[in-house]
Amino acid sequence: MLTAVGLLPMAVAGINIDEVLRGATAAMHEFDFPDISKNQCYRYAAARRLLGDQGRNIELFVSYQPSFAMMGEWLKQLFGESEGKEKKGLFPAYVGFSTDLHSMGQFVQEGSPILFETVIDIENGQRDITVPTGDEGDGLGFLTGRSLSEINRKAMIGTLLAHNEGGVPNLILKLACIDCFHFGYMVYFFEKACAIGGYLLSVNPFDQPGVENYKRNMFALLGKPGYEELGETLLDKLGL
């Protein structure tokens, strides 16, 4: 994401890529030493590996900020594509709480003990809304005057306590806010942790042989020049 392939679309979208790179550079310097007791990036990578060794093979990325949703999708791609090789790697998933608590909360709390949560705690959101005075008939009058950020934080703390009581391991990564600087910082943090995770699994985190397989089949089935023979073979296999 920090190469020209990622930076060009950001620039076109009006994002300050100088600040993005400044944040990434700050993270590069902060995490460029081998002492794991002080290097949060190394500690996160090691914790993921230890939890995987304990049978926690699904990493559930969690955020309480709707603006983080697309970042969650990128984390799935980053870790899934980089580590998922040679029958190894954690399965990455993303949920946006509190919305997904209605669909996933029960499983996380009491389902199969196969996952752990990585909670991205964004301390200051980009916007905030105060709950106005309304009809007390809905029983939500106690929220009047409270901000959505406060409600979200209480939801996060309550959920963390519940899931901890349910025996679900939780890793909490704190981020001051979402701006261009912290975005770049966060991207570098996760990319480095992912690379370390691949090496801890003894896989190459920088290739994607499985992705190339499905691309090749897709090109053949769509009749891309140079793939005609493979396309006929695949159609025969499918009985078409």
Side-chain angles (χ1 to χ4, degrees):
M1 189 180 291
L2 297 174
T3 66
V5 174
L7 293 173
L8 176 59
M10 290 186 215
V12 172
I15 295 171
N16 187 336
I17 61 174
D18 288 334
E19 277 297 288
V20 171
L21 291 175
R22 192 169 72 86
T25 302
M28 179 181 69
H29 291 307
E30 182 173 345
F31 303 123
D32 188 28
F33 58 92
D35 187 349
I36 194 171
S37 68
K38 298 177 181 178
N39 192 317
Q40 298 293 335
C41 185
Y42 287 10
R43 292 175 68 181
Y44 169 59
R48 295 178 70 250
R49 175 59 195 271
L50 289 171
L51 287 165
D53 288 346
Q54 295 169 12
R56 300 282 177 167
N57 293 316
I58 296 175
E59 180 172 18
L60 193 63
F61 292 101
V62 179
S63 172
Y64 288 77
Q65 291 286 344
S67 57
F68 192 85
M70 290 299 101
M71 192 70 183
E73 294 301 309
W74 174 73
L75 288 171
K76 287 159 55 176
Q77 180 269 330
L78 173 67
F79 285 96
E81 191 170 81
S82 301
E83 292 185 337
K85 297 156 192 173
E86 302 176 18
K87 310 303 179 185
K88 301 175 183 178
L90 301 174
F91 182 86
Y94 172 74
V95 290
F97 287 166
S98 61
T99 301
D100 287 332
L101 276 173
H102 295 284
S103 58
M104 296 296 293
Q106 176 62 40
F107 183 91
V108 174
Q109 181 79 21
E110 296 183 348
S112 302
I114 56 176
L115 61 83
F116 67 94
E117 293 175 282
T118 295
V119 180
I120 295 87
D121 177 15
I122 301 168
E123 298 179 319
N124 297 293
Q126 292 174 306
R127 302 176 184 173
D128 209 353
I129 299 174
T130 300
V131 177
T133 302
D135 183 3
E136 293 289 335
D138 59 10
L140 297 175
F142 67 97
L143 296 176
T144 296
R146 293 177 180 266
S147 66
L148 286 184
S149 61
E150 179 190 1
I151 295 169
N152 257 344
R153 180 150 293 277
K154 294 299 192 295
M156 182 187 73
I157 294 171
T159 303
L160 285 169
L161 290 170
H163 290 179
N164 183 63
E165 291 171 359
V168 181
N170 276 264
L171 306 177
I172 303 174
L173 304 178
K174 290 185 176 293
L175 192 68
C177 63
I178 295 181
D179 59 14
C180 295
F181 176 89
H182 288 92
F183 172 76
Y185 182 97
M186 179 169 49
V187 167
Y188 185 90
F189 173 90
F190 280 117
E191 286 186 345
K192 182 160 189 174
C194 183
I196 295 169
Y199 291 135
L200 289 174
L201 291 169
S202 298
V203 300
N204 181 0
F206 299 108
D207 65 5
Q208 50 181 29
V211 171
E212 296 306 318
N213 287 341
Y214 88 72
K215 285 183 180 178
R216 181 192 61 191
N217 291 345
M218 181 178 68
F219 291 152
L221 293 169
L222 289 171
K224 183 176 180 179
Y227 290 81
E228 294 86 356
E229 184 176 346
L230 175 60
E232 293 176 3
T233 301
L234 293 175
L235 290 174
D236 287 341
K237 286 183 179 181
L238 293 170
L240 299 174

